[in-house]
Amino acid sequence: MRFVAWIVCASVVVPAAVASAATHQVGPSRTIKTLQGLPQLNAGDVIELDGDATYPAYSASRAGAAGNPITLRGVRVGGKRPVISGGANNTLAIEADHWVVEGVEITGGAARCFYHHADDVVLRDSYVHDCPKQGILGADSDSGSLLLEYVEVARAGGGDRDHQIYMATDDTRFPNAVFRMQFCWVHDGNGGNGVKSRAARNEIYYNWIEGSLYHELELIGADGQPEA
């Protein structure tokens, strides 16, 4: 009997290389001293910002991805968070989708301390304070969902138009956007309302809001956008 061996060759398709997530350490004793010194960021990247130090204002303009955000994480040193301070307009502006910011202190922006100008943004375990105008502001356009979780806001706002937290969402671009606020403490406002929102949907759970000049909580509803 004769046996014949058959050799089957299978072709394997190797996908194009995808940038892998990286961890970037930033601090006075690190190679990267400030947030401005970061390399180009990719989805899934983590920025570890050393505590017990103060950093200049920063604008995030590189997007993460759905389910794979870019994370800016404060690393406490001696129990102290990193402080992001100042800014001619904003102290910390998130202007790209899919970001998580946690464990930081934000203060002193001339117009806003934390500016939400994107979709799928999270701010948690942070302290926003001493902002001459808005403490946290959501843009009227290009802003989608925002989650505030375990955030303290104090001594922000002014007059009757600047608020400790003033949320809005772009009802045309993100009609299903949600502003969710939970386990937060808002107190000792300098003016305006504690929380004012023009978001398309508001989910407000388990917060303590006190010491506002006008309303503790004012929910208006989305403005919408002109057809043009």
Side-chain angles (χ1 to χ4, degrees), residues 122-147:
V122 177
L123 177 64
R124 70 161 59 96
D125 182 29
S126 294
Y127 180 30
V128 179
H129 65 95
D130 295 289
C131 313
K133 291 188 177 181
Q134 318 284 356
I136 296 173
L137 179 68
D140 290 333
S141 60
D142 300 324
S143 58
S145 293
L146 172 69
L147 169 62

Side-chain angles (χ1 to χ4, degrees), residues 10-212:
S11 60
V12 178
V13 178
V14 179
V18 177
S20 59
T23 297
H24 309 279
Q25 295 180 317
V26 180
S29 64
R30 308 291 188 181
T31 302
I32 305 173
K33 307 295 182 186
T34 67
L35 294 169
Q36 286 74 12
L38 287 165
Q40 180 172 284
L41 299 170
N42 297 296
D45 279 6
V46 175
I47 305 158
E48 293 184 344
L49 191 63
D50 286 349
D52 196 20
T54 300
Y55 303 88
Y58 178 68
S59 178
S61 57
R62 180 81 171 173
N68 197 24
I70 295 172
T71 300
L72 171 58
R73 178 177 299 140
V75 179
R76 296 191 188 217
V77 174
K80 296 181 179 179
R81 295 184 178 101
V83 178
I84 305 172
S85 180
N89 287 307
N90 311 306
T91 304
L92 180 59
I94 306 300
E95 301 185 295
D97 297 346
H98 313 300
W99 269 74
V100 174
V101 178
E102 55 190 17
V104 298
E105 187 173 329
I106 308 167
T107 186
R112 315 135 183 144
C113 276
F114 184 83
Y115 188 37
H116 166 244
H117 194 193
D119 180 46
D120 186 24
V121 175
V122 177
L123 177 64
R124 70 161 59 96
D125 182 29
S126 294
Y127 180 30
V128 179
H129 65 95
D130 295 289
C131 313
K133 291 188 177 181
Q134 318 284 356
I136 296 173
L137 179 68
D140 290 333
S141 60
D142 300 324
S143 58
S145 293
L146 172 69
L147 169 62
L148 296 182
E149 190 172 51
Y150 300 103
V151 175
E152 179 182 356
V153 183
R155 299 182 299 280
D160 61 353
R161 295 182 180 272
D162 297 322
H163 311 285
Q164 298 236 68
I165 298 173
Y166 191 178
M167 267 304 300
T169 59
D170 186 333
D171 201 36
T172 301
R173 186 174 176 192
F174 300 106
N176 298 315
V178 175
F179 168 47
R180 183 173 183 134
M181 178 180 172
Q182 56 190 23
F183 309 112
C184 296
W185 182 26
V186 181
H187 61 97
D188 296 306
N190 291 333
N193 300 320
V195 180
K196 180 173 182 174
S197 179
R198 296 181 181 275
R201 178 178 173 85
N202 298 283
E203 298 181 359
I204 312 293
Y205 303 108
Y206 311 114
N207 304 282
W208 189 286
I209 307 170
E210 63 179 341
S212 305

